[in-house]
Amino acid sequence: MAMTPHSAYDDRKAPRLQVSLGQPELHDQLASLTEVPATYIREEPMQRGDTIASLLKRLGVDDPDAQRFIRGNAAARSLFYLEPGQLVRVEADQDNLLVSLHATLGGNVSTSKELVIGRAGDDADEPAYKAEVHTVRNELRYEMRSGIVAAKGFFTTMDAANVPDEIVRQMVSIFSGVIDFQQDIFAGDRFRIVYEAGFRDGALIRNGRVVAVELINRSQIYQALWYAADGGNAGDYYTFDGRSMKRPFLRSPVEFSRMSSGFGWRNHPLHHQWVQHKGVDFAAPTGSRVFATANGIVDFVGQQTGYGNIVTLRHPGGFSTYYAHLSGYADIRPGQSVTQGQLIGYVGQTGWATGPHLHYEFRFNDVPQDPLSAILMEPVTLSGRVRERS
Ligand SMILES: [Zn+2]
């Protein structure tokens, strides 16, 4: 008997192998069964509250020596740290004594650690054991998920479509230069996503990187593809026509926010007169994290009239950004470099503010611009042969 992956069965071009074997002689077989000591193999998932004794009992192993060995051996004791649901496989002999034990201990997307316990000697009457932890290569699979954003919102839809949280986070990050997932996603928007996942013995070890993602936002199609020039880990996301997904400035400087007031003329909520609003307000709970929208240098950290606690950053090309009404700062100092997405402070309502929000300003040559309409520096473009390969 053999097993093949489902895809090989579906694939008409997959090589087929057929082997015919002669029927064995039944008498010889029966005779040989009594000669070779029989062992059996059993597999059981770890359960909540399991002890080594209860696990072995469920696996049909009745072997005080093996139990004692597992309790006393450093490598074998890694069994104690298995999560519920993780599989343990044993081979036991006719007397229910342990012959070997295998368990996958977890790992990253490409490799797992595997515990192997086996008999150290051939003496079946007085077995001694040894335990080793090996690093083994996982089976890399490409998982695909797709769906339509429901009225309940993007994050609920992703849960319902069985997209793991870390994959959702990657997707949000990939599109962070062009889409604010708190505000720009609508019911009826569609997504398709392909990501790497490492499996061992059919069980998921760890999800890996998003390799391709498509989002249809109203009628706009956003696509991103992972490409690493050297085939290694140092790569980036590109559109299908070879433009980098990285934008010089993020769309939103705050996690979990909604825009409460836009750029331009408005009736000031505190002073009740029409004033030019020089930035964009993002309503968010006090303590929400505020991120640098672009790489730059910290220009100012402290208090200013009206702004309350404020951080300002200088960026290449004459741009600067202001983050005001903060409740606190991250560990940053004037003159220090920050990178896009780096934590710089926390939402608050210091200065002239009626409720917790971030006042965000985006300036060019010190003149406030509308950060949501500004078309900024062009992103990097792959060209020619490199583009074809990606
Ligand atoms: Zn404001």
Side-chain angles (χ1 to χ4, degrees):
M1 189 173 72
M3 291 203 282
T4 64
H6 195 64
S7 56
Y9 181 78
D10 287 341
D11 183 0
R12 290 167 185 284
K13 287 186 196 138
R16 299 292 150 105
L17 183 69
Q18 192 172 343
V19 181
S20 300
L21 301 170
Q23 291 228 347
E25 194 57 53
L26 191 59
H27 283 291
D28 296 348
Q29 273 206 309
L30 286 172
S32 70
L33 276 177
T34 55
E35 282 164 21
V36 182
T39 62
Y40 67 87
I41 291 173
R42 267 194 197 162
E43 192 171 59
E44 279 286 332
M46 201 73 176
Q47 289 179 6
R48 206 165 287 284
D50 254 341
T51 60
I52 295 303
S54 66
L55 175 71
L56 289 179
K57 191 174 178 202
R58 220 169 42 251
L59 286 160
V61 174
D62 181 13
D63 189 340
D65 287 337
Q67 248 185 72
R68 210 169 301 125
F69 170 78
I70 291 168
R71 285 210 198 89
N73 181 277
R77 284 176 66 87
S78 52
L79 266 183
F80 286 100
Y81 304 106
L82 287 183
E83 301 281 341
Q86 285 188 276
L87 293 174
V88 178
R89 191 173 77 231
V90 295
E91 184 183 0
D93 66 15
Q94 282 166 314
D95 302 322
N96 299 327
L97 297 177
L98 187 70
V99 176
S100 70
L101 181 149
H102 284 78
T104 301
L105 305 174
N108 56 35
V109 68
S110 50
T111 60
S112 305
K113 298 240 179 284
E114 193 172 62
L115 169 69
V116 180
I117 299 174
R119 284 194 182 161
D122 286 337
D123 187 355
D125 292 332
E126 208 172 314
Y129 295 95
K130 59 173 191 251
E132 282 172 337
V133 175
H134 304 286
T135 299
V136 289
R137 194 154 270 291
N138 291 340
E139 178 201 348
L140 192 64
R141 292 190 198 165
Y142 291 96
E143 297 281 309
M144 184 175 150
R145 301 280 185 276
S146 62
I148 300 175
V149 176
K152 283 178 182 162
F154 173 72
F155 293 97
T156 313
T157 302
M158 296 311 254
D159 269 354
N162 204 13
V163 184
D165 285 352
E166 64 265 38
I167 301 302
V168 176
R169 275 198 292 276
Q170 287 185 44
M171 184 173 169
V172 169
S173 160
I174 290 164
F175 288 128
S176 61
V178 287
I179 291 173
D180 176 351
F181 280 80
Q182 304 293 330
Q183 308 195 42
D184 300 340
I185 301 291
F186 298 92
D189 285 357
R190 278 173 287 158
F191 70 90
R192 283 192 292 173
I193 188 159
V194 179
Y195 61 92
E196 294 172 339
F199 282 77
R200 177 79 191 149
D201 290 338
L204 174 68
I205 302 298
R206 189 64 63 90
N207 291 309
R209 176 186 286 129
V210 169
V211 291
V213 55
E214 180 182 73
L215 180 71
I216 302 176
N217 178 223
R218 295 197 161 173
S219 55
Q220 185 77 31
I221 300 178
Y222 297 99
Q223 292 165 322
L225 206 60
W226 173 257
Y227 173 71
D230 59 355
N233 280 320
D236 221 328
Y237 290 96
Y238 293 86
T239 59
F240 283 12
D241 56 358
R243 280 176 297 122
S244 172
M245 293 303 295
K246 269 223 181 101
R247 292 295 187 278
F249 289 87
L250 297 179
R251 284 271 284 119
S252 170
V254 197
E255 61 175 346
F256 310 127
S257 66
R258 67 187 166 77
M259 194 179 75
S260 58
S261 183
F263 185 82
W265 291 99
R266 66 161 180 179
N267 197 336
H268 196 279
L270 282 180
H271 303 133
H272 300 294
Q273 52 188 337
W274 285 91
V275 289
Q276 172 82 271
H277 188 220
K278 294 186 292 185
V280 170
D281 292 343
F282 292 91
T286 297
S288 299
R289 296 185 295 165
V290 175
F291 306 113
T293 53
N295 295 344
I297 307 281
V298 178
D299 204 28
F300 182 85
V301 180
Q303 288 190 350
Q304 287 181 16
T305 310
Y307 285 125
N309 297 329
I310 182 171
V311 171
T312 70
L313 306 178
R314 260 182 298 123
H315 308 286
F319 294 95
S320 54
T321 50
Y322 288 48
Y323 310 80
H325 309 315
L326 301 175
S327 61
Y329 312 109
D331 186 18
I332 51 169
R333 265 169 265 289
Q336 181 190 327
S337 299
V338 290
T339 55
Q340 187 177 58
Q342 185 176 333
L343 177 71
I344 54 171
Y346 303 91
V347 170
Q349 59 179 103
T350 55
W352 298 341
T354 51
H357 75 278
L358 179 80
H359 172 89
Y360 174 62
E361 276 180 38
F362 177 77
R363 296 183 174 197
F364 179 63
N365 289 342
D366 219 27
V367 179
Q369 313 282 322
D370 182 352
L372 302 184
S373 71
I375 293 173
L376 304 168
M377 296 165 269
E378 269 301 293
V380 185
T381 302
L382 289 181
S383 59
R385 202 172 320 146
V386 180
R387 183 155 83 198
E388 274 168 42
R389 270 192 282 147
S390 74

